[in-house]
Amino acid sequence: MAAEGRVLLVLCSLLACATAANLVSQHLDSQNFHSQNVIEADPVRVAVYLESLCPDSLNFVVNQLVPARDALTDIMQVNITAYGFATDEPSGDGYSFECQHGPSECKGNKIIVCAKNYLAHETYIDFTLCLMSGFYPPIEGEKCAEKVDAEWQPIENCSQSMEGEQLLHEAGLEQGLLDPRPDWMPWIILNDVFTQENQHDAQEDLIELVCRTYLGEPPEPCRT
């Protein structure tokens, strides 16, 4: 082969390698950009205000919140606060409460707020969902603590003490800062903003609502 031919062959080989390398680089950049978009998308924050014996709260937890969290755990961040349409007033060093569905609801609400204080956040959510899915939430605490591998005694002691009264009072203060004020239980807020549309849709199909609110790559449950 003539020298000119060998030079031309080498140049063509180099050009082909450069082109291939450029294509690979573009592909990797595209994958990396895509991955970053998925990773950097914030989970949808779902804040739920409820009562431990409210039929609508129980129905929402069992039929909407539990299935949605199971299906969309990677794109959904849940927070639960128990107080509802209760009232409280100072009583000695603590507080006395009147709850919409009676003293047993106050007991259930105290268990929930005490669990929130004593457990890691995700464990607390698991515990509360278990409690609200049980036969009668105020008596489900020990069983649910065992289910999530948590100590029941500190939670029970808290719920029967002035500590539990203080925590439930603080939950009421937190709920009282909401704008607008809740006029229904459960009260559901997405990404720190309440809308009547989200309130309605969350109780009809929470999975669909979270999927359409999420700004990242939709997971498989959102595509089925």
Side-chain angles (χ1 to χ4, degrees):
M1 179 183 294
E4 293 83 353
R6 288 197 297 270
V7 170
L8 183 59
L9 180 61
V10 170
L11 289 174
C12 289
S13 298
L14 290 173
L15 181 60
C17 289
T19 301
N22 185 52
L23 290 173
V24 170
S25 176
Q26 290 178 358
H27 177 69
L28 291 175
D29 287 345
S30 175
Q31 283 192 324
N32 186 49
F33 177 76
H34 179 72
S35 298
Q36 286 179 347
N37 278 349
V38 173
I39 293 171
E40 292 174 0
D42 292 331
V44 178
R45 298 183 302 280
V46 180
V48 181
Y49 293 80
L50 50 70
E51 300 167 323
S52 63
L53 286 180
C54 166
D56 291 304
S57 294
L58 296 168
N59 179 67
F60 173 72
V61 168
V62 171
N63 295 312
Q64 297 297 333
L65 190 55
V66 169
R69 186 165 177 267
D70 287 345
L72 305 175
T73 183
D74 292 334
I75 68 165
M76 181 179 176
Q77 186 178 80
V78 178
N79 191 40
I80 299 173
T81 301
Y83 190 82
F85 299 124
T87 59
D88 64 66
E89 60 181 22
S91 176
D93 293 330
Y95 295 88
S96 62
F97 298 86
E98 288 190 12
C99 294
Q100 184 179 17
H101 301 93
S104 292
E105 180 169 81
C106 292
K107 177 182 177 181
N109 289 352
K110 287 177 186 175
I111 290 171
I112 292 172
V113 297
C114 285
K116 190 172 189 176
N117 191 57
Y118 276 86
L119 303 179
H121 182 77
E122 292 303 320
T123 305
Y124 156 68
I125 297 299
D126 289 336
F127 173 86
T128 302
L129 296 182
C130 171
L131 195 82
M132 294 291 291
S133 301
F135 174 74
Y136 191 66
I139 65 171
E140 303 292 335
E142 185 171 8
K143 180 186 72 176
C144 290
E146 182 178 354
K147 181 178 179 179
V148 302
D149 197 25
E151 290 188 57
W152 165 239
Q153 200 62 53
I155 299 171
E156 182 181 38
N157 291 345
C158 167
S159 70
Q160 297 173 355
S161 70
M162 285 188 293
E163 180 184 18
E165 294 174 9
Q166 179 64 38
L167 290 170
L168 188 56
H169 171 70
E170 291 173 1
L173 294 178
E174 175 191 331
Q175 182 183 292
L177 294 175
L178 297 178
D179 184 17
R181 292 285 187 92
D183 59 11
W184 180 264
M185 288 289 134
W187 193 252
I188 305 148
I189 301 173
L190 265 66
N191 292 335
D192 305 320
V193 177
F194 175 84
T195 69
Q196 286 291 349
E197 180 183 5
N198 286 345
Q199 171 76 8
H200 172 270
D201 291 352
Q203 294 175 88
E204 293 294 322
D205 192 341
L206 183 59
I207 289 178
E208 192 277 333
L209 175 60
V210 172
C211 285
R212 77 168 186 256
T213 303
Y214 183 58
L215 298 178
E217 181 72 18
E220 182 61 32
C222 294
R223 301 194 295 267
T224 57

